[in-house]
Amino acid sequence: MCGRFVSTTTPQDLVALLGELRWDPAESFAPSWNVAPTDPVPAVLERLDRESGELLRQLRPLRWGLVPSWSKDPSGGARMINARSETVHLKPAFRKAFTTRRCVIPADGYFEWREVPAAADRKKYKQPYFLSTGSVMLMAGLYEFWRDRTRPEDDPAAWLATATIITTDATDSAGRVHDRMPLTIAPADLSAWLAPDLTDSDELHHLLRRPADGALRVRAVSPTVNSVRANGPELLDTAPDPLGLAD
């Protein structure tokens, strides 16, 4: 999976899909048609409430690009937007989070790119494609908390919450565009995936699914999306497909 996706699902939409969900009304969950690394992303997770001890399902904004708790600084987060499913339980950056800090990141779909060779009248360029299931994808993710030890522990600015998306080998329609794709969690498996007390690696891997069994819808879209500054629903307008990869 490359580093962009679309996220326009509202908290109210997620309640209809997932049931009871808590979030801070002061936090912004604005729609984005071009989510990029280090952007805030909406994530559904379960945490124990400090006062009641109750396990609560929450919607929280997390910065995309995981920063392990042991990192000296957060600068490496932009390089850890994805975690490979084949090794996520083994890599030091991800294995603790895979055991106890799992989440899902709702998405309308994601972008991938393929290079279009140069021709007599143009230079080579990267053609973007939008891949989707036609409904909300609950992309499997992990999250972590990193503390800035130059600040007091009770300073909210001392804590950075970050996330990564789990990927696997792409198949079917997704595979003809890119060799990796995000994994998802079925709504029926969400409680198990989010449960902090489920720590068995084999059971957790069993919950991971290829969206639409890998048979995603593929559409060519405008290269305007190549700029991280571009944002808006027009980015999803169908464009000519120079490589013939679209459905």
Side-chain angles (χ1 to χ4, degrees):
M1 177 186 174
C2 283
R4 309 282 182 80
F5 66 93
V6 177
S7 178
T8 66
T9 307
T10 67
Q12 292 77 14
D13 291 336
L14 289 173
V15 169
L17 177 65
L18 306 177
E20 184 177 356
L21 190 64
R22 300 191 185 185
W23 67 90
D24 185 346
E27 292 176 330
S28 174
F29 295 98
S32 176
W33 290 265
N34 198 2
V35 181
T38 74
D39 283 352
V41 298
V44 177
L45 52 91
E46 291 186 353
R47 301 278 297 175
L48 288 174
D49 183 80
R50 290 184 178 180
E51 295 183 1
S52 67
E54 181 184 2
L55 188 64
L56 300 178
R57 182 171 294 179
Q58 309 169 27
L59 178 65
R60 298 180 59 166
L62 305 177
R63 196 179 81 168
W64 189 19
L66 190 136
V67 178
S69 60
W70 42 260
S71 295
K72 292 182 179 179
D73 61 69
S75 61
R79 297 190 300 273
M80 287 197 259
I81 60 172
N82 297 150
R84 297 175 68 92
S85 63
E86 299 89 341
T87 57
V88 67
H89 59 298
L90 301 173
K91 295 290 186 180
F94 304 123
R95 63 189 179 197
K96 182 62 176 177
F98 186 66
T99 302
T100 59
R101 286 183 288 276
R102 298 177 298 275
C103 63
V104 293
I105 298 171
D108 303 33
Y110 65 99
F111 297 104
E112 292 293 0
W113 283 259
R114 282 287 295 271
E115 186 173 282
V116 179
D121 59 342
R122 57 167 167 73
K123 297 180 180 179
K124 67 179 180 180
Y125 69 97
K126 289 187 175 182
Q127 171 62 46
Y129 292 87
F130 180 64
L131 294 86
S132 66
T133 64
S135 59
V136 179
M137 297 167 53
L138 299 177
M139 298 191 296
L142 311 175
Y143 68 96
E144 270 289 7
F145 295 102
W146 178 82
R147 180 188 167 191
D148 181 352
R149 298 191 178 278
T150 66
R151 296 176 178 270
E153 186 174 358
D154 59 354
D155 180 354
W159 295 92
L160 178 64
T162 62
T164 190
I165 295 168
I166 300 175
T167 67
T168 191
D169 289 335
T171 60
D172 299 343
S173 53
R176 68 178 182 253
V177 181
H178 194 273
D179 64 350
R180 302 291 293 180
M181 67 188 301
L183 285 166
T184 58
I185 301 298
D189 293 331
L190 186 61
S191 293
W193 174 255
L194 298 182
D197 58 352
L198 177 57
T199 60
D200 183 85
S201 177
D202 290 339
E203 287 188 56
L204 291 169
H205 274 97
H206 183 69
L207 298 174
L208 297 167
R209 297 281 186 272
R210 287 182 172 86
D213 293 325
L216 296 170
R217 302 177 186 176
V218 179
R219 289 194 293 112
V221 294
S222 169
T224 303
V225 74
N226 296 359
S227 170
V228 295
R229 293 184 293 274
N231 210 319
E234 68 279 0
L235 296 181
L236 299 185
D237 290 347
T238 301
D241 179 13
L243 298 176
L245 301 178
D247 295 326

